[in-house]
Amino acid sequence: ANYTPLCPIAAMQKAKNVGNSAARSLSEKWSTLSTPSALRRAKTAVTGPAKMQSDPLEAQRAELADYQGLISTLSACANTVSCAMDMLATAPKPLFDPLNRFYGGGMPGGPAITRLCTQLDTFASRTKESEVHIEGLQEKLRSLSERNSEEI
C-alpha cells in the first residue's frame, strides 16, 4: 500500500495533537457531566434564554405570543363547536321511536312529526358531513401553532 513514513518531528506533533484532543474531549465530557453546567442547561431548556435588556425584537415576540393566544382560542372554539354539533345532532334521536309510535297510524299531527323526524335526521347526517371541515380547521390551527412555536 501507499505508506509514507513520518519524520520524527511530525510523528511527535501528531501524537501531541491526539493527546490534546483526548484531553479536550475529557474536559468537554466533564463539563457536560458537571452538575452546575447540567442544571444551567436544563434551566435554559425549560425557561428559555434570559431576557435581553432593550431587546429590539420584544414587540415582535409579544405579537407572536398574542397570535399564539388567538390560535389557542380558535382551537378551543372549534373543539366546542364540534362537541356542540355532535350533541345537537344526536340529542333528538331517542325521541324518534316514541314519537312515531304515539303519532303513527293516522293520529292528528302525525305527518308533522314524521316531517320533523326526517328534518332532524337530515340535520344529523349533514352535521356528520361537516366534521371534515372542523377537523381541517383544527389541523390548520395545529400547524399554525407549531410553526408559531418554532418562531418564538
Side-chain angles (χ1 to χ4, degrees):
N2 293 337
Y3 175 73
T4 310
L6 295 174
C7 69
I9 296 173
M12 286 177 32
Q13 184 64 33
K14 187 172 183 177
K16 184 179 177 186
N17 287 343
V18 168
N20 284 344
S21 69
R24 192 171 344 126
S25 66
L26 266 176
S27 68
E28 287 173 357
K29 286 180 185 177
W30 173 252
S31 71
T32 60
L33 296 176
S34 70
T35 304
S37 172
L39 290 176
R40 202 171 20 258
R41 280 193 311 279
K43 179 186 174 218
T44 302
V46 170
T47 62
K51 275 192 158 184
M52 181 190 316
Q53 294 292 342
S54 302
D55 186 4
L57 298 176
E58 185 62 33
Q60 286 83 3
R61 290 183 213 283
E63 188 175 326
L64 285 173
D66 289 344
Y67 183 61
Q68 184 65 31
L70 176 64
I71 290 172
S72 296
T73 302
L74 285 172
S75 181
C77 180
N79 287 335
T80 303
V81 166
S82 178
C83 289
M85 287 174 57
D86 284 342
M87 290 172 60
L88 189 58
T90 58
K93 288 197 180 210
L95 289 175
F96 290 172
D97 287 337
L99 285 174
N100 284 327
R101 269 187 309 204
F102 185 74
Y103 286 102
M107 290 286 292
I113 294 297
T114 304
R115 194 170 48 251
L116 173 68
C117 290
T118 303
Q119 288 173 347
L120 289 173
D121 197 40
T122 302
F123 174 77
S125 65
R126 287 185 181 162
T127 299
K128 294 295 179 192
E129 293 170 3
S130 69
E131 284 179 1
V132 174
H133 301 293
I134 296 276
E135 289 171 4
L137 173 65
Q138 290 172 332
E139 181 59 36
K140 182 67 173 173
L141 289 169
R142 273 191 292 278
S143 167
L144 288 171
S145 180
E146 288 171 4
R147 192 174 79 197
N148 192 40
S149 295
E150 292 172 0
E151 292 179 11
I152 291 180

